[in-house]
Amino acid sequence: CLENTDPRMRGRGIQLLSQVLLQCYSLLQEKEVLHLVLFYENRLQDHHLVIPSVLQGLRALSMCEVLSPGLAVSVLKAIFQEVHVQSLLQLDRHTVYSIITNFMGTREEELKGLGADFTFGFIQVMDGEKDPRNLLVAFQIVRDLIAKNYALGPFVEELFEVTSCYFPIDFTPPPNDPHGIQREDLILSLRAVLASTPQFAEFLLPLLIEKMDSDLQSAKLDSLQTLTACCAIYGQKELQEFLPSLWSSLRREVFQTASEKVEAECLAALHALSACLSCSVLSSDTEDLLDSFLSSILQDCRHHLCEPDMKLVWPSAKLLQAAAGASLRAYHCVTSSVLPLLLEQYTKHPQSSQRRTILEMLLGFLELQQKWGHVEEDESTLLSLRAPVCSVVFSALTDPSVQLQLVGIRALTVLGSLQGFLSPSDLELVVDHLIRLALHEEDSQSSEAAMEAAGSLAPLYPKVFSGHMVPRLEEELQSERQEESPCDHRSLRQRCLQALAAVSTHTSIVRETVPVLLQHLRKVQKGSEAGNTQDMVSVCQSLHRVALQCQQDAESCWYYHQTVVPCLLAMAVQAAMQESTHLLLAKALLEEEVLAAMVPVISAATTHLSPELATQSVSHVVPLFLDGEVSFLPQNSFPCSFQPFEDGECLEAQRRLVALLMAFVCSLPRNVAIPQQERLLHELLALSCSCNCPFTATTAAKCFAGLVNKHLAGQQLDEILQLAVNRMELGLAEGPCRMQALTLLLWVTKALVLRYHPLSSCLTDKLLGLLGDTELGPAAADGFSLLMAESPDVLHKGCHADVRIMFRQRFFTDNVPKLVQGFHGAGPDVKANYLKGLSHVLNHLPKPVLVTELPTLLSLLLEALSCSDRVVQLSTLSCLQPLLLEAPQIMSLHVDTLVTKFLSLTSSPTMAVRIAALRCAHALTSLPTTVLLPYKARVIRALAKPLDDKKRLVRKEAVAARGEW
């Protein structure tokens, strides 16, 4: 074939040889490679039909390691001379780029020996390339040419022209493109070329300035991002000539654009320019371009800052801040001119709205100073303006306008974070203002912001806050003001408690605030006011916040745990014993609401303990509940013994404290051994099945479940679970404790489902069986929500529970077919239970999983909307709403039914159902317009009625939905 006179036949012969070489090029010897290279180079002069196969052979040879010196240059010269690359097909052009890439990777020094001829040859190869697959390779070759210092010689402009002709990239990938090349890939690849060398600057910068003036937003964005990238490698020399035009374009865009994206990129580019000029090394005879550049920015922007009503105030401030944020030198240059002006404007304008604008601009410049940390005394404009800056910020804090106060509080936080800026007397004034705002400011926004600010500043100035703020808050907390109504006094106390918690962000302050909070809890416990319960809950909420703030610091965490947990337990035990001995004090502490508020406090104090400290603590707490061992509690002289697991009506109050045991043991790390664990599990199991108090029975069941979830697999666990199953079956059979047995079943099932325990499917089947029970069916159906939802106090990852990553998907796969089957076989009086259970499962399922299962379940969901149970309706609606947005194609098939059901539920007697139905009617508008048009008039008519609904929230949803239709 190779000697055949027909070019097609010769082509087939060379094709076969090339395919063989592509398989075996690594086995060739040096002589063989030389012989083949000479043959293939000669064939490049052959008929054009032969060339593609020749190039494939040369690609194979370009990968040979035994290629003799000089052959790479010889091959490339032959290609440059003999082949008109751009007349070839895409695949053949790609082969040429591959040959060049291979040689650049292995024969760099040889190719560099060609000098600028190699660059010129490549320019000819690439000139006119249009295919995105080839362009990605070609751009990479140009990047390598520049990065590896190949000689560009007199061809810099030609190389720039051959690549910049693609700027800005205008490419939309075809639908179902198998190559997966995106427009963004080409943009980034080209940008890497254009921004790879300062040698392109004189050609590139005029191009960027031209494209910034384009009407196309994509061209503007690409130009600005490329300019930002170039600033990283340019110096003063490259930028000098173009700075006025660049500034003019950037200023115009920021002043005139309606696009936030364009504005953001302009500011980033200005920041990059300023940074580039800041970094340039100056020789003694060159002008400092940064000064002149910033002077022109100041000249064009400064006067707009004096017009707080004008629309150019914010654009000017943003431009100045972008330039100032680039370097400390730029910052000093801009702020020395701008800060005095802003302070002067603040005093000139008495209106709160104008003052707020000015202070927000001032705040922007103060936040920039944070980047450089410590305020340098010799250079800083800020230090010389300390008094007027503090005066302006303090005046904002006393202004009646809440919005101005909020900006003032943010400014105060920033000033405090500037090390060495505030003097001791300023700091005392700061504390005074924060206390006043936190406790006495009517608006809750200002009060909360002041507390947050105190929390941010306290770690920076712990002595000031523990010495000035904490004693003042303690004094306010203890003061009994006669002139105030009880309601005002309670509100003040609540704020004091919140402020004490907010400021507890440093170990030394925690040691001051925690005793104050505990002392107040004791005081409230001994009091006899009607609002005791709420006061106790408030103290617990503050203690919980402190606990969360202590978690990241081991020392604070242990101090908090060993101070707070024994104290809360002692107070609760004391209260329970007084109840047991019929003393009428301290009832409030035993109320469900207060015990429920104590649970997160003890839990948060325990989860982050080290295993050694947790072991030390558990050795005291468990014996307290099992053996009444009270010696570790403070003030431990109690009137009788503590026996929460003993029988007897008088011990009912003591049994309630199992909630606190649950908070502690269920929050321990998994590697902490619990003493007498088997005995504890037996006691909890007995209590959960026999107790008449629902609160106690539920907390005992949760505690049992929490321990079972973390229990090591093995015989002990199997035995305790078998015992629990026997107890549950007995309790569920008949008698007064069926509800307690169901609660235990739910919590134990959840504990096992989370850890993929084999018994979980057996327990779930029991639960499914109970859906057909007329008495327990509705509660069992609601239990599916408990199984799927995140539990706040036990069995979640935060308290170290064993939670497998996809337990919800697994539960869905195993049990939804059974729910559907049960629904079809159920009697009419219990069908709703199956629907309720199903809607709870679906509601907690990740949406992508739900979308894939939708076709099989949609008919059931639509049937659930007809159910009279409002929980089923609500759960189903909240399940359908996101599906309308995520699976419009499937939902469109049932649009007639959906419209009818949603519109009928907009007049439900339950407000929550009306709101959910209106949201679904709103979400229907995301379906294709052609599907919706037949229903448009009907829906608009029907949605006129809820516009007059008596509830504002319903009217709001109706307006949104009807407007969209």
Side-chain angles (χ1 to χ4, degrees), residues 391-608:
S391 164
V392 160
V393 172
F394 291 153
S395 83
L397 298 178
T398 53
D399 194 274
S401 158
V402 173
Q403 296 307 316
L404 181 52
Q405 282 178 16
L406 291 172
V407 181
I409 292 167
R410 281 164 55 207
L412 190 66
T413 311
V414 174
L415 288 180
S417 69
L418 299 176
Q419 206 181 343
F421 184 79
L422 295 174
S423 66
S425 58
D426 288 336
L427 281 169
E428 286 186 29
L429 205 49
V430 166
V431 170
D432 290 344
H433 278 297
L434 290 176
I435 291 173
R436 178 184 56 76
L437 288 165
L439 302 188
H440 304 295
E441 177 54 50
E442 275 181 37
D443 189 272
S444 62
Q445 272 182 296
S446 292
S447 172
E448 285 164 19
M451 291 183 202
E452 290 296 325
S456 303
L457 295 174
L460 304 174
Y461 308 101
K463 284 184 180 170
V464 178
F465 279 84
S466 60
H468 289 79
M469 191 163 188
V470 176
R472 291 268 300 280
L473 291 171
E474 184 180 5
E475 191 182 312
E476 289 279 4
L477 192 60
Q478 291 171 352
S479 67
E480 298 290 344
R481 301 185 181 212
Q482 301 305 317
E483 72 275 9
E484 286 182 352
S485 69
C487 184
D488 290 341
H489 189 47
R490 175 159 290 119
S491 165
L492 177 65
R493 277 207 304 258
Q494 201 155 348
R495 282 197 177 182
C496 281
L497 294 168
Q498 289 168 345
L500 281 165
V503 81
S504 304
T505 48
H506 186 272
T507 309
S508 64
I509 301 173
V510 170
R511 289 174 183 273
E512 303 280 336
T513 54
V514 165
V516 174
L517 290 169
L518 292 175
Q519 183 57 41
H520 185 66
L521 188 60
R522 286 192 200 94
K523 179 183 166 188
V524 176
Q525 184 193 9
K526 289 171 186 163
S528 55
E529 290 177 38
N532 269 5
T533 303
Q534 191 47 53
D535 281 349
M536 286 186 167
V537 170
S538 297
V539 181
C540 290
Q541 286 167 343
S542 290
L543 284 168
H544 181 229
R545 179 170 178 176
V546 179
L548 295 175
Q549 287 163 186
C550 287
Q551 284 178 342
Q552 301 314 316
D553 178 69
E555 185 191 341
S556 301
C557 190
W558 179 235
Y559 164 77
Y560 183 92
H561 182 88
Q562 62 180 1
T563 308
V564 173
V565 173
C567 180
L568 292 183
L569 289 173
M571 289 167 68
V573 169
Q574 179 90 37
M577 287 182 177
Q578 286 170 341
E579 176 94 349
S580 308
T581 52
H582 305 294
L583 294 168
L584 290 173
L585 287 166
K587 276 262 200 194
L589 197 64
L590 299 172
E591 288 189 23
E592 284 179 28
E593 203 182 339
V594 177
L595 288 171
M598 281 184 172
V599 166
V601 178
I602 293 175
S603 180
T606 307
T607 51
H608 283 62

Side-chain angles (χ1 to χ4, degrees), residues 255-331:
F255 280 173
Q256 293 177 4
T257 187
S259 160
E260 286 182 19
K261 278 185 185 173
V262 173
E263 182 187 85
E265 292 301 341
C266 283
L267 296 174
L270 181 60
H271 182 278
L273 281 169
S274 181
C276 176
L277 296 175
S278 302
C279 298
S280 297
V281 179
L282 302 178
S283 55
S284 55
D285 56 344
T286 52
E287 175 196 359
D288 180 2
L289 284 182
L290 179 67
D291 271 355
S292 54
F293 183 59
L294 294 176
S295 298
S296 56
I297 295 175
L298 283 163
Q299 186 182 336
D300 290 343
C301 294
R302 196 173 178 272
H303 60 278
H304 291 305
L305 302 183
C306 306
E307 307 157 3
D309 299 330
M310 298 295 290
K311 63 175 187 170
L312 294 180
V313 161
W314 270 116
S316 301
K318 286 175 182 174
L319 285 165
L320 287 164
Q321 284 164 9
S327 69
L328 196 51
R329 191 153 67 97
Y331 180 76

